[in-house]
Amino acid sequence: MELIKWFTPEQFNDALSSWAWIGLDGKTPLFTSVFGDVFFGAQDGVWWLDTIEGELTREWDSLDQLEAELNTAAGQEKYLIAELAHALEESGLVPGADEIYDFAHPLVLGGELEVENVEVTEMSMSLDILGQIHDQVRRIPPGARVDIQVS
């Protein structure tokens, strides 16, 4: 199974418009994990948008360092969620060319990191919605009571 996905600049533009709040200026999307986490090149290194946590971090000084880490089992598990991806493939759930794995109940809203919570969704739509969700969640005051209803 291929654990990374390649998309066009237009697809990334559509997908990342709702993530502007996180600070994407000066960063060029390179590829995604099969779960939609985005890897960016920038003048100061390589950045990782963790769409589960809603965090953007500078992880590597160079593309060579990124490649070396993604060629390790630990790197594949941390950044590509390899074990779950392989389990999904074995279950018969495989994303199409423009799709990624998506959590039906987003983890930031209490969903679980498990096969039963995963579906395939068009990448641009999935990332756009996740960006909106994370933007709203980050604005919730600490200690606020939130009732979440998922159908």
Side-chain angles (χ1 to χ4, degrees):
M1 156 164 251
E2 191 64 39
L3 296 173
I4 60 174
K5 302 276 295 200
W6 303 93
F7 297 100
T8 67
E10 294 78 22
Q11 287 172 303
F12 278 119
N13 283 341
D14 292 343
L16 297 170
S17 62
S18 65
W19 288 92
W21 58 270
I22 206 164
L24 299 179
D25 291 341
K27 297 168 187 69
T28 302
L30 304 171
F31 58 88
T32 73
S33 72
V34 74
F35 286 92
D37 292 337
V38 184
F39 297 80
F40 294 89
Q43 290 289 338
D44 61 349
V46 182
W47 292 71
W48 177 52
L49 175 60
D50 179 347
T51 60
I52 291 174
E53 298 294 328
E55 296 176 350
L56 178 67
T57 54
R58 184 181 167 280
E59 296 285 318
W60 306 274
D61 292 329
S62 69
L63 290 172
D64 288 340
Q65 287 181 351
L66 165 64
E67 183 178 359
E69 184 148 18
L70 293 184
N71 282 325
T72 68
Q76 288 179 11
E77 193 53 42
K78 178 176 181 178
Y79 297 103
L80 305 176
I81 317 175
E83 186 176 325
L84 182 57
H86 291 301
L88 289 161
E89 181 183 42
E90 288 174 18
S91 77
L93 188 63
V94 179
D98 294 334
E99 297 174 325
I100 58 172
Y101 289 128
D102 192 14
F103 294 98
H105 184 166
L107 277 59
V108 69
L109 300 178
E112 298 292 328
L113 189 68
E114 60 189 14
V115 169
E116 296 78 20
N117 188 35
V118 178
E119 58 192 12
V120 293
T121 306
E122 192 268 329
M123 183 277 292
S124 297
M125 183 175 63
S126 175
L127 290 186
D128 182 48
I129 291 169
L130 275 173
Q132 294 174 48
I133 290 170
H134 279 291
D135 188 24
Q136 292 173 19
V137 167
R138 74 185 179 99
R139 297 168 193 253
I140 297 171
R145 179 178 160 84
V146 178
D147 291 322
I148 300 171
Q149 297 179 3
V150 178
S151 51

